[in-house]
């Protein structure tokens, strides 16, 4: 019962942060106009918060171990590029475009859940749910204003972001369940701290940092930048924690469903929101996501114990037991 309550709280916290982050990022980028700088500020603020909290004894982190940290390096490259490409998408497309493409991700992630994490093939109910999500997404694309005007070129950045998103969702599950880390703050620290270097490189190579001198700083711009750093810290912790308690596919579906709040906020704030047909299509996506049920562990599945995971085999076994507990509760 306590575990179920904890899971609900974590999922709700992640949903709240995720729903608001897209709008906050949109406003921060709008006022500042340098996506890589906004991203770097978020990474630096989050890593700095964890380090400060650890030094003050307010947060607990794992001892630094290169055998574990090195797994974050590849993830960090994709994470940095993914966050930056997300910012680029926000500059050339509306918020609904990101939401609907994310609505397609459970189909792809479910395959990796089967292949990498011992989950069964999605049930007929889940297949219907994912096909409903796909149908809504296709309807949205065919009626979206950006698509009609600019064709496939309008979605170039979306395709880059989507590919990186799927990798993050799948590999992120391994980071929080397969390395034996005892504190989610360690994942937050490693991810955000290591992300500062590639993000700085992207800003320099793209020439975006050269535009910082021309930025007109306003109270509104500073406020949205600061708020994005605060919420960025929250979503980083809640995201990793959420991945540790539910399946990768279920985590993806949670991200889809909570975006409905983002749509409502976007309609109230921005003029460039989708048409009525586009919004209706998006609602279909979200309803399909709500109908999804995570796949149980395959019968007889045993985690593969690699050399690097030998010392954390008890953690892998705990994951199997946790999976059984999740399955007994049904829908996430």
């Amino acid at each position: 019962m306590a575990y179920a309550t904890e899971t609900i709280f974590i999922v709700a916290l992640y949903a709240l942060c995720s729903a608001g982050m897209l709008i906050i990022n949109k406003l921060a980028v709008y006022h500042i106009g340098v996506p890589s700088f906004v991203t770097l500020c978020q990474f630096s603020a989050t890593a700095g918060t964890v380090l400060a909290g650890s030094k003050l004894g307010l947060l607990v982190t794992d001892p630094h171990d290169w055998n574990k940290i090195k797994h974050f390096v590849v993830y960090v490259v994709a994470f940095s590029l993914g966050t930056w490409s997300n910012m680029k998408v926000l500059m050339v497309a509306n918020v609904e475009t990101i939401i609907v493409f994310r609505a397609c991700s459970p189909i792809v992630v479910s395959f990796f859940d089967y292949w990498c994490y011992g989950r069964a093939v999605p049930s007929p109910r889940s297949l219907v749910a994912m096909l409903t999500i796909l149908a809504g997404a296709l309807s949205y694309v065919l009626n979206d204003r950006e698509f009609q005007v600019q064709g496939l070129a309008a979605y170039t950045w979306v395709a880059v972001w989507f590919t990186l998103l799927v990798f993050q969702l799948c590999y992120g599950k391994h980071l929080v369940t397969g390395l034996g880390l005892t504190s989610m703050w360690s994942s937050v620290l490693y991810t955000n701290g290591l992300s500062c270097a590639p993000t700085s490189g992207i800003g320099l190579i793209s020439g975006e940092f050269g535009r910082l001198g021309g930025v007109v700083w306003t109270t509104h711009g500073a406020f949205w930048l600061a708020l994005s750093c605060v919420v960025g810290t929250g979503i980083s912790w809640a995201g990793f924690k959420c991945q540790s308690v539910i399946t990768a596919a279920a985590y993806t579906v949670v991200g889809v469903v909570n975006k409905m709040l983002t749509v409502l906020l976007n309609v109230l704030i921005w003029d460039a929101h989708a048409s009525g047909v586009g919004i209706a299509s998006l609602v279909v996506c979200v309803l399909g996501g709500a109908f999804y049920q995570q796949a149980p562990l395959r019968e007889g599945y045993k985690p593969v114990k690699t050399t690097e995971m030998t010392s954390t085999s008890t953690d892998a076994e705990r994951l199997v037991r946790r999976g059984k507990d999740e399955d007994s509760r049904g829908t996430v």
Side-chain angles (χ1 to χ4, degrees), residues 105-174:
S105 58
I107 299 175
V108 181
V109 175
S110 291
F111 169 76
F112 286 99
D113 253 350
Y114 174 86
W115 185 32
C116 302
Y117 300 113
R119 292 286 162 173
V121 173
S123 66
R125 167 177 170 169
S126 294
L127 286 174
V128 170
M130 289 188 289
L131 287 175
T132 300
I133 293 173
L134 178 59
L138 291 174
S139 175
Y140 179 88
V141 168
L142 293 175
N143 291 281
D144 176 57
R145 180 165 51 194
E146 288 287 331
F147 184 81
Q148 291 174 343
V149 174
Q150 301 180 33
L152 291 175
Y155 292 91
T156 300
W157 279 110
V158 177
V160 173
W161 165 76
F162 181 78
T163 301
L164 292 166
L165 171 68
V166 170
F167 175 80
Q168 292 173 55
L169 291 168
C170 297
Y171 195 66
K173 179 73 175 178
H174 168 66

Side-chain angles (χ1 to χ4, degrees), residues 21-44:
M21 192 63 176
L22 201 57
I23 293 295
I24 294 171
N25 275 342
K26 180 81 174 181
L27 290 166
V29 171
Y30 173 78
H31 284 284
I32 297 175
V34 186
S36 55
F37 175 73
V38 173
T39 304
L40 180 60
C41 287
Q42 293 171 1
F43 288 155
S44 300

Side-chain angles (χ1 to χ4, degrees), residues 74 135 194:
V74 174
L194 293 172

Side-chain angles (χ1 to χ4, degrees), residues 62 68 72 175-176 179-184 186-187 190 312 315:
D62 293 84
K68 295 179 180 179
F72 286 84
L175 295 181
V176 297
L179 299 183
L181 294 174
T182 59
S183 172
M184 285 304 129
S186 296
S187 296
Y190 299 153
T312 61
D315 184 70

Side-chain angles (χ1 to χ4, degrees), residues 202-279:
I202 290 172
L204 291 172
I205 295 173
S206 66
E208 289 187 356
F209 283 176
R211 300 203 303 267
L212 284 173
V215 174
V216 178
W217 291 94
T218 64
T219 302
H220 287 90
F223 171 77
W224 290 115
L225 178 61
L227 185 60
S228 75
C229 292
V230 173
V231 178
T233 301
I235 196 174
S236 187
W237 180 87
F240 276 120
K241 189 66 176 178
C242 192
Q243 284 179 295
S244 73
V245 298
I246 61 178
T247 67
Y251 173 74
T252 308
V253 172
V254 169
V256 172
V257 175
N258 75 63
K259 288 299 187 294
M260 194 60 208
L261 176 58
T262 305
V263 175
L264 296 177
L265 293 173
N266 184 64
V267 170
L268 294 174
I269 297 173
W270 301 101
D271 294 329
H273 56 74
S275 64
V277 177
I279 292 294

